[in-house]
Amino acid sequence: MKNNCLLRNDNNIIRILDQQPDKKLIIDCIKQTMPKWVKTENISSFLLCTEQELLSITNKNIKSMESFDADSRKFIHAHFSLIAGILPFIADNAKRNQMIENISEEMHVSKQTIRHYLCLYLIYQDISVLAPKQKKEKELSKDEKNMRWALNKFFYTRNKNSLQTAYTLMLKQKYCEVNGELLPEYPTFNQFRYFYRKTKSMQTYYISRDGLKSYQRNNRPLTGDGVQQFAPNVGVGMLDATICDIYLVDDAGNLVGRPVFTTCIDAYSSLCCGYSLTWEGGMYSLRNLMINVVTDKVEWCKKHGIIIDKNEWNNSQLPGVLVTDMGSEYKSENFEQLAELGVTITNLPPYRPELKGSVEKFFDLVQGYYKKHLKGKGVINPDFRERGSHDYRKDACLTIKDFERVILRCIIFYNSKRIIENFPYTDQMIEENILPYANRIFEWGKNQPGANMISVKKNEVIYSLLPRTIGKFTRYGLKVNKMRYHCEGYTEEYLSGGEINVAYNPDDVTTVWALIGGQYVTFDLVERRYNGKNIEEAQILRGSQKTLISGENRKSTQAQIDLARYIETIANNVCYKSDVKVKDVRQTRKYETQRAHINFVKDGE
């Protein structure tokens, strides 16, 4: 026999821990008693046993250490350390007992607990057996099941019932007789409240009562690195639009409403790359914004009577990455056509406004700059639309031109004079003394590795954002939107036919641009009656003509029938001659010509 071997006799299993010529140190694996010495002859009838048989009889499942979590592994090693010092003295009862007593006093653990873990280890010879027992979930009582049902049915809902209301409805549904009488025994409100607090999940609370959208926007844990995870370098533009908190008038003093303010913010430096202030939103304001981004800002400000240095707002390039939300204009095919210029478009997941925090903060700051100075000039206060509040529309006095000059001044201050206190400065930026202004950080970032700004011409941006359609080459020219266009040098295409992508301007159908070989080729309108019209006016004109023609179809058909009848009447009244003389045709024609000849001058006199 070898040490640590297992022996079995019927349902008795022992393990040999040590041996001498006439006796063996064994441990009873079934009764789990402390090791003891027995004579060899007393176990001579035992046969060899396998580890699997031991595990099967004791109904033990020993897992590998890798399958335990960190807390379980810590528990295992901590309890093995209790018995590790006893293992060398297993064969000596006196020393073993003394060690158990010493460890018990030192570690403040009962001697019975130490003996229990020692026996477990000696029986199975694996420290994994010391793992903590998995706690079995306590089965809910009938009252607790009713409470859980009531919470799910009445409390965790969009109705937002109070806990007291949910408790009352539970009693009504589960603890009343058929006639509505309350049963003699029922849970108290304190028990109901205790069960709620014990099982409460804040995530379930917010989502069930306020909805997933509200949870994602207002309550979800914000554990990411925010904008920095999207914008490690200059060249990530974040787009968004808002309705300005001010009413404006036209030149005649008539109320127009609130303008749409659209902007592009470089997420790395928070510089405003461009803006659009329009009455129209959607794709129109977005197209206007992209044109402004690539416009020279010194010249742009000069048009509005504002003189700035180039370094105050030095940007006329497109960011290489444009980050947008899930707005319809940003998901449109027109906007995605910017990819032709090398721009990458990234759509943020829903309900994640903090991922475009730079542009959200920009709107807050810029509107905060002007609102305090324009009170009483049409600016909206927080009590807007509350009952009995002031009608701010009556205060409106600024036109959109006036307000745009205000916005421009605010943007210039935002870019070049606003101190950015929380920017993550690097050692290199400190060494180079980069001042904490958006324009300075942007200028520094443009020269760093990874900067992603794209130089494009203004007309390229305009063409790339125009709506597209399919044009067809025919003998009559390039047909686009049911109108014909022509360009010199495309005779073969007219004769061969085929389709091609065409960009068109919805505001003027005079010209379209065919996308041929990556270039925009200009085709001019053939049908001049449509010159200067927008596509809607051209469609109305074409539709009116079609309606006019279709309205006369019946008359035209009736006229054709009448004409056929008249012709047949005349033909039927003519005497038919079967022997027509065909000889001397020239002479006959000359005679008839002279007979039918009319002297118009004499006849006119």
Side-chain angles (χ1 to χ4, degrees), residues 19 54 91 100 146 249 311 314 336 391 398 425-426 439 442 452 454 457 473 522 539 582 585:
Q19 52 187 323
L54 172 64
I100 291 174
N146 289 338
V249 297
N311 63 358
N314 185 18
E336 291 176 355
D391 189 353
L398 274 70
Y425 266 69
T426 63
N439 62 330
F442 181 77
N452 189 9
I454 301 174
K457 296 178 181 178
F473 283 111
T522 302
Q539 290 173 348
V582 296
V585 173

Side-chain angles (χ1 to χ4, degrees), residues 242 357-371:
T242 190
S358 297
V359 68
E360 300 286 353
K361 186 65 176 177
F362 169 80
F363 286 138
D364 288 342
L365 291 174
V366 168
Q367 297 212 89
Y369 294 154
Y370 71 76
K371 286 176 74 172

Side-chain angles (χ1 to χ4, degrees), residues 151-164:
L151 288 172
N152 293 333
K153 179 77 174 177
F154 305 118
F155 185 75
Y156 293 122
T157 68
R158 286 294 186 93
N159 294 333
K160 297 184 180 181
N161 292 322
S162 66
L163 206 60
Q164 181 67 55

Side-chain angles (χ1 to χ4, degrees), residues 157-417:
T157 68
R158 286 294 186 93
N159 294 333
K160 297 184 180 181
N161 292 322
S162 66
L163 206 60
Q164 181 67 55
T165 301
Y167 172 72
T168 303
L169 293 174
M170 179 192 71
L171 296 182
K172 173 179 173 292
Q173 296 286 338
K174 298 292 185 179
Y175 293 92
C176 284
E177 300 283 1
V178 178
N179 59 3
E181 287 291 325
L182 194 62
L183 295 174
E185 294 186 1
Y186 57 89
T188 65
F189 177 71
N190 287 340
Q191 290 174 316
F192 185 74
R193 182 171 54 193
Y194 173 78
F195 181 80
Y196 160 69
R197 290 175 177 174
K198 185 176 69 172
T199 60
K200 182 179 181 181
S201 166
M202 292 305 299
Q203 186 181 47
T204 303
Y205 177 85
Y206 288 126
I207 294 177
S208 63
R209 292 172 71 89
D210 301 325
L212 179 61
K213 181 177 179 180
S214 174
Y215 169 76
Q216 293 280 20
R217 186 173 61 242
N218 302 318
N219 308 112
R220 177 179 47 81
L222 305 178
T223 56
D225 197 16
V227 170
Q228 293 300 317
Q229 69 188 80
F230 283 100
N233 303 291
V234 162
V236 178
M238 294 192 165
L239 310 182
D240 205 356
T242 190
I243 305 297
C244 293
D245 291 340
I246 187 172
Y247 283 107
L248 302 178
V249 297
D250 61 10
D251 293 334
N254 301 313
L255 181 70
V256 180
R258 298 162 62 185
V260 179
F261 187 25
T262 312
T263 190
C264 173
I265 302 296
D266 177 68
Y268 177 79
S269 63
S270 74
L271 181 93
C272 176
C273 299
Y275 78 99
S276 168
L277 190 68
T278 58
W279 294 118
E280 295 182 53
M283 197 60 211
Y284 176 81
S285 63
L286 188 57
R287 188 181 298 120
N288 199 36
L289 167 65
M290 291 294 103
I291 294 171
N292 184 263
V293 169
V294 298
T295 300
D296 182 273
K297 301 305 187 296
V298 175
E299 295 298 324
W300 178 260
C301 291
K302 189 181 293 185
K303 288 181 182 179
H304 292 81
I306 299 173
I307 306 301
I308 63 170
D309 294 331
K310 190 172 183 64
N311 63 358
E312 289 184 86
W313 197 358
N314 185 18
N315 177 65
S316 57
Q317 296 175 298
L318 274 180
V321 178
L322 294 178
V323 180
T324 70
D325 55 22
M326 301 298 284
S328 58
E329 64 270 29
Y330 303 121
K331 294 189 293 183
S332 66
E333 292 182 2
N334 289 9
F335 185 63
E336 291 176 355
Q337 289 162 188
L338 283 173
E340 297 171 1
L341 305 177
V343 176
T344 301
I345 298 172
T346 302
N347 289 323
L348 292 176
Y351 319 128
R352 298 298 300 274
E354 85 284 354
L355 295 181
K356 54 183 179 69
S358 297
V359 68
E360 300 286 353
K361 186 65 176 177
F362 169 80
F363 286 138
D364 288 342
L365 291 174
V366 168
Q367 297 212 89
Y369 294 154
Y370 71 76
K371 286 176 74 172
K372 56 190 175 184
H373 301 295
L374 294 179
K375 287 186 177 180
K377 307 290 184 182
V379 165
I380 296 171
N381 285 334
D383 63 350
F384 172 60
R385 285 184 177 175
E386 288 186 6
R387 180 179 295 180
S389 65
H390 178 68
D391 189 353
Y392 297 103
R393 296 174 297 178
K394 296 180 180 180
D395 298 335
C397 60
L398 274 70
T399 65
I400 195 166
K401 291 182 180 179
D402 299 328
F403 184 61
E404 187 159 8
R405 288 199 295 270
V406 172
I407 287 291
L408 269 173
R409 287 291 186 185
C410 292
I411 292 175
I412 293 167
F413 173 83
Y414 171 89
N415 281 342
S416 58
K417 296 295 186 291

Side-chain angles (χ1 to χ4, degrees), residues 1-3 5 7 14 16 19 24 40 43-48:
M1 298 180 187
K2 297 180 180 179
N3 287 349
C5 70
L7 299 177
I14 62 173
I16 305 296
Q19 52 187 323
K24 311 290 184 184
T40 304
I43 59 172
S44 58
S45 61
F46 283 70
L47 301 176
L48 287 175

